[in-house]
Amino acid sequence: MPDWLATLLISLLKAVLVVLGLLTTFAYMTLIERRLLGRMQLRPGPNRVGPMGLLQPAADAIKSIFKEDVTVTLADKLVYTLAPIVAIGMALTAFGGLPAGPAGSLFGENPWVYNLDTGILALLALTSMGVYGIFLGGWASGSKYPILGGLRSSAQMISYELGMGLSLLGLLMIVGTTSFHGIVGWQAQNGWMILFQSLGFVLFLISSFAETNRTPFDLPEAEQEIVAGYLTEYSAIKWALFQMAEYVNMITASAVMATLFFGGWKGPQFLNALIPGVSDWPLIWLIVKIAFFLFLFIWVRATLPRLRYDQLMRFGWKLVLPLALANTVMTAAFLAFRGSGGLWFLGVLSLAGVLALLVLSDRVRVLWNQPSIRPEGDIVRAGGD
């Protein structure tokens, strides 16, 4: 067998394994999220289908597959069908470039599907393509509420992708590469990036919630306002594909945060004194870090209320974007004038920025929570006078 064909078949096999792993994780994430939300809200959650409710994802999958697929008369049939495929396709493709271990650690093969020198740029491009699935789904549905949800999603994605990209510029200037492998290797030698870019991490975390349409940024499908947004006219397996895309994007965002700021697939180095080589175990540490961030997504959903749409836009443009730009300028200035000093002073400055944001939260809240004052002449009094 030619080498190129063997390499192609191995890459296809790894891609299939990644897809199966992500879809299985999605299925049980729905169960875990419902059970955790139940515990947080003092109720049991789903526990009827199978032992301890473990077969609930299988029941949901069967229901979605065999449920009637309603066709909207005014919908653009081709785009209406392609939209959920685009959303899930981009979500699944983005995960394949993240390294899960050292080279050759997966039964002699590399634990990633593809390896690009422009790793971060490629991932940001793929994840931003997912908004096309949401917007096209809303536009092609031929209904007012879906188009409102699609427009909301487009504006939200554009607003927070700027802050997300700028929040990573400081990291890229420090490391000097956009390759995930280079970033993980740099952290293994110098320490986790969260120590030096805590402000950038906080901004990236906030932007990740907005990019994945999770609470408190789930305005594109706000059921109290626009029924279900871009999902209103979808049912059966098409609706399930959109749900898959949302959860796979959550998993990808968690893996990206673990890779960029928490050492990626490498564990804490001090554990090597207890178990030699434990910090270099493939897959294990990345899965643990992903699980932590997925729990954080669920915890925030159970804790925070949904923002108003005007608050969401103000928050992105008046707080996240300026702070990300300030973090970029601060990092660039430090690297230009630090001389031979280390990066710890930059870490202190970044942490001070996070603490200042928390301490001054009541004062900066007016940036996105400005009350709208109506002129007295526009107020209609009770009784009509």
Side-chain angles (χ1 to χ4, degrees):
M1 181 183 297
D3 291 340
W4 66 268
L5 182 57
T7 303
L8 177 61
L9 292 177
I10 291 173
S11 297
L12 290 175
L13 177 60
K14 289 190 291 186
V16 170
L17 292 176
V18 167
V19 170
L20 291 177
L22 287 174
L23 295 184
T24 303
T25 305
F26 148 73
Y28 278 93
M29 266 302 299
T30 59
L31 175 63
I32 293 170
E33 179 170 23
R34 293 165 71 184
R35 293 296 294 271
L36 284 176
L37 290 176
R39 293 297 298 270
M40 293 175 182
Q41 298 168 354
L42 301 180
R43 54 185 178 82
N47 59 0
R48 299 295 181 185
V49 185
M52 297 185 293
L54 292 177
L55 296 181
Q56 184 67 48
D60 292 338
I62 294 172
K63 179 185 73 173
S64 297
I65 293 171
F66 291 101
K67 190 176 181 180
E68 180 184 3
D69 189 6
V70 179
T71 302
V72 183
T73 304
L74 297 179
D76 185 315
K77 301 297 190 297
L78 178 61
V79 180
Y80 179 79
T81 304
L82 286 178
I85 299 174
V86 170
I88 186 61
M90 294 299 104
L92 292 172
T93 305
F95 192 89
L98 294 168
S105 61
L106 185 64
F107 304 105
E109 298 296 331
N110 298 327
W112 55 80
V113 180
Y114 57 88
N115 179 22
L116 300 176
D117 291 336
T118 57
I120 294 180
L121 300 180
L123 186 137
L124 292 177
L126 287 170
T127 53
S128 64
M129 288 290 289
V131 71
Y132 283 97
I134 295 176
F135 176 74
L136 291 176
W139 174 81
S141 295
S143 178
K144 293 182 177 63
Y145 288 125
I147 192 65
L148 285 175
L151 289 172
R152 281 185 171 192
S153 180
S154 301
Q156 180 173 318
M157 292 282 188
I158 293 170
S159 302
Y160 283 87
E161 276 178 359
L162 293 173
M164 174 179 282
L166 283 174
S167 67
L168 294 179
L169 283 183
L171 177 151
L172 297 179
M173 286 188 287
I174 293 173
V175 178
T177 178
T178 57
S179 168
F180 288 115
H181 300 275
I183 293 172
V184 173
W186 188 94
Q187 292 179 87
Q189 296 178 0
N190 300 278
W192 288 358
M193 187 57 69
I194 183 67
L195 300 174
F196 313 110
Q197 284 287 295
S198 53
L199 179 58
F201 165 70
V202 170
L203 297 174
F204 187 86
L205 176 66
I206 294 172
S207 300
S208 297
F209 275 89
E211 288 286 297
T212 54
N213 295 329
R214 294 285 297 184
T215 307
F217 302 105
D218 56 339
L219 274 299
E221 48 187 287
E223 64 272 11
Q224 291 92 344
E225 304 169 20
I226 51 176
V227 185
Y230 64 94
L231 292 170
T232 302
E233 306 295 350
Y234 280 95
S235 61
I237 192 64
K238 294 188 182 72
W239 178 89
L241 288 176
F242 273 121
Q243 292 300 102
M244 289 180 196
E246 177 178 322
Y247 278 86
V248 171
N249 282 327
M250 278 175 52
I251 299 168
T252 302
S254 301
V256 170
M257 286 186 282
T259 301
L260 297 182
F261 295 98
F262 290 88
W265 54 266
K266 283 182 172 289
Q269 299 294 318
F270 67 87
L271 293 179
N272 289 331
L274 302 176
I275 305 176
V278 67
S279 66
D280 292 330
W281 287 357
L283 296 176
I284 303 298
W285 292 109
L286 184 62
I287 292 174
V288 169
K289 295 170 186 177
I290 290 174
F292 168 77
F293 283 110
L294 289 176
F295 173 77
L296 182 62
F297 274 102
I298 298 171
W299 190 7
V300 170
R301 178 180 178 181
T303 304
L304 298 180
R306 179 184 296 130
L307 297 175
R308 292 198 318 262
Y309 193 70
D310 62 314
Q311 292 174 331
L312 176 140
M313 297 302 288
R314 287 197 191 102
F315 189 83
W317 287 102
K318 291 189 175 183
L319 187 71
V320 174
L321 182 61
L323 284 179
L325 185 59
N327 180 67
T328 302
V329 173
M330 178 182 70
T331 305
F334 178 83
L335 294 176
F337 300 107
R338 67 168 176 164
S340 59
L343 293 171
W344 292 108
F345 185 65
L346 176 62
V348 172
L349 289 177
S350 185
L351 181 60
V354 176
L355 295 177
L357 189 60
L358 292 175
V359 172
L360 300 175
S361 59
D362 282 339
R363 299 201 174 195
V364 300
R365 188 180 301 165
V366 296
L367 292 175
W368 69 85
N369 198 27
Q370 295 174 345
S372 56
I373 302 176
R374 299 172 61 186
E376 292 186 5
D378 293 342
I379 299 176
V380 179
R381 299 174 182 172
D385 53 333

